Amino acid sequence: MNSIFVDCCGLSCPEPVIKARNAMQEPGNGEVKVKVSSTVARDNVSRTARSMGWNVKVAEEGEYFLLTLTRP
Amino acid sequence: MNEKRGIILAGALTGIIAVILVIFGNPLNMGFCIACFVRDITGALGMHRAAPVQYIRPEIIGLVLGAFASALAFREFKSTGGSAVILRFLLGAFMMMGALIFLGCPLRMLLRMAGGDLNALAALPGYILGIWVGVQFLQRGYTLGAAGEQPSLNGLAGPLASVVLLVIAAAAPAYIFFSTEGPGSMRAPLAISLGAGLLVGIMAQRSRLCTMGAFRDLLLFKDFHLFSGIAALFIAAAAGNILGGYFNPGFAEQPVAHAEALWNFLGMGIVGLAAVLAGGCPLRQLILTGEGNGDAAATTLGTVFGAAVMHNFGWAASPAGVVQEARILVVFLWILLLVIASVITWQVRLLEKQKEAQKAPSGSGRASSAGRAG
């Protein structure tokens, strides 16, 4: 299973959600790391990932959030 | 679960507060109307001279300052900006132009429906169509690009300007225009309007309530989260209107409205499409302005510009209907928005192709680089 990184810093919703979703929908990807710069993007990406049945781990990195989404 | 309850509560309370504002003197079905109220402020400052629609609406000030206070309290205030500022300004102007064809922002569309104004039922499918068209571009890669951090003052400009407006509203100096008749003269007392704005500003900041996001997320992801907020808003406002005796179903003689269905449909379509392209409805832009988002502040300034254009040229609709020039404008704006969205989407895709072509020889593709320093 691949791990891929999606940089969504500075992007406003729904763009982070679209990018994260596209990455999650690629069959080869087992882990998607998404970096976002706002709490809105953090919450929206987390909510979408959970609704798709993925596990979500959130880490705060200074001004940014790194979300680790893993396929169940 | 908690998030879900929050958005429904925020929507429902906003709907109820809108009815309370009408009880205290705001025009019917206009407890809140971001487009109308920004237009009134534009007029109060003399940037248009349509005498019936001039007043510094404290609701707008409250919305920005409420969001500002809430963002500060929850450590979400962040001075950001620098993403396609001029385009955002124009999208804001187009949003306002579409709204002044219909006579209301999407929030007022919901409130008009909740008051029994069936003309708004023609605008709703137009709004959804505009959002659907916007979503097609989003799915094909449309973006205005990333925003970055900005000097604090850039993010504080919106909230500070709101404080200045509040001082002007309270002092009411002679060179500020306040309507003595028409919708601009119908207003709840300043403290109540301000308080209502503050409350809704806080709730909208916490819940991310957005009338465009509601339909966009439904179309894009089948995500009902934001939609549940505006559904609650509509139901609460309708219940409030029925209980308060304001519910008056029909097409003719609705308050601050006209019955030209086609133009209601197309006008609100412009608002929907422009809102998707700008990333938020007029209400959401105000809330983001309070959170320090300079791009949203530029979009809101665009709505001021749009209001000035519409009233100075006599293109804004009125209960008498939509003038011929404004009909031409509607068609022109639809085409212009489609062109803007197409050009940007095409350019984004071109760039992506170029990037992939560059990456291909080195082989590593989109490998992880998660540890990159922030």
Side-chain angles (χ1 to χ4, degrees), chain B residues 45-72:
Chain B
L45 297 175
M47 287 188 267
H48 75 67
R49 299 298 172 100
V53 284
Q54 297 173 319
Y55 176 48
I56 296 189
R57 293 275 178 190
E59 289 89 347
I60 299 290
I61 299 168
L63 286 168
V64 175
L65 293 180
F68 175 60
S70 170
L72 278 184

Side-chain angles (χ1 to χ4, degrees), chain A residues 3-5 7 9-11 13-15 17-18 21 26 33 35 37 39-40 43 47 60-61 63-64 66, chain B residues 3 76 78 138 142-147 149 208 216 220-221 223 225 284 366 368-370 372-374:
Chain A
S3 168
I4 83 158
F5 174 67
D7 187 352
C9 292
L11 294 180
C13 276
E15 289 169 33
V17 180
I18 294 175
R21 220 174 114 98
E26 259 175 57
K33 289 185 181 229
K35 192 176 177 187
S37 55
T39 48
V40 182
D43 296 347
R47 197 173 62 241
E60 220 174 318
E61 287 188 347
E63 294 281 293
Y64 302 94
L66 184 68
Chain B
E3 237 185 13
E76 288 181 347
K78 207 168 174 184
L138 280 178
Y142 170 90
T143 175
L144 286 179
E149 277 190 55
R208 336 289 188 204
R216 179 198 63 198
L220 255 179
F221 314 124
D223 177 352
H225 180 72
R284 183 80 186 133
R366 294 174 298 167
S368 161
S369 58
R372 216 180 63 171

